[in-house]
Amino acid sequence: MGEKDTIRHLKKGEALYRKGEPADSIYLITQGEVEIEHVDGPVTFQAGDVLGIFDAILRNTYTKTAIATTKGQVKFSSVKKDLVAIEGTLTHKLMHSFLVAKDAETPGYWS
């Protein structure tokens, strides 16, 4: 995440994003915990974890809902504004290939 990041404060129980919404941002949790429901049950993410990257880069909408389980804070970057600068570059192609391979290993887990 870069210097153009925006900070968002979350209340316990607040949705960071919901399934079906446009996947237009990538989130870095800086404080608190966020939970995403998976087939095997809920997975909790915490400070230092990145959310939304798979959906933002590989898909057009979020495939899961992310809910704050504690009061927290995230930094986020707009995919359209910030990542468009690297579109078509070797960095973008490598990142896309890596994400596709990881998503194939555990479909939807990283969403």
Side-chain angles (χ1 to χ4, degrees), residues 3-51:
E3 60 185 58
K4 294 182 180 181
D5 299 335
T6 304
I7 294 175
R8 178 173 165 193
H9 297 275
L10 298 169
K11 297 176 186 172
K12 181 179 179 178
E14 182 179 353
L16 178 59
Y17 54 81
R18 295 190 182 280
K19 180 179 180 176
E21 291 180 343
D24 56 3
S25 295
I26 296 170
Y27 300 90
L28 170 66
I29 302 171
T30 55
Q31 295 175 7
E33 295 181 344
V34 175
E35 186 175 276
I36 294 179
E37 189 65 40
H38 287 280
V39 176
D40 299 331
V43 176
T44 302
F45 297 87
Q46 53 196 323
D49 290 331
V50 176
L51 298 176

Side-chain angles (χ1 to χ4, degrees), residues 55-72:
D55 288 337
I57 301 229
L58 301 179
R59 303 170 186 85
N60 293 322
T61 60
Y62 293 111
T63 57
K64 307 248 185 314
T65 298
I67 303 289
T69 55
T70 64
K71 180 179 170 183

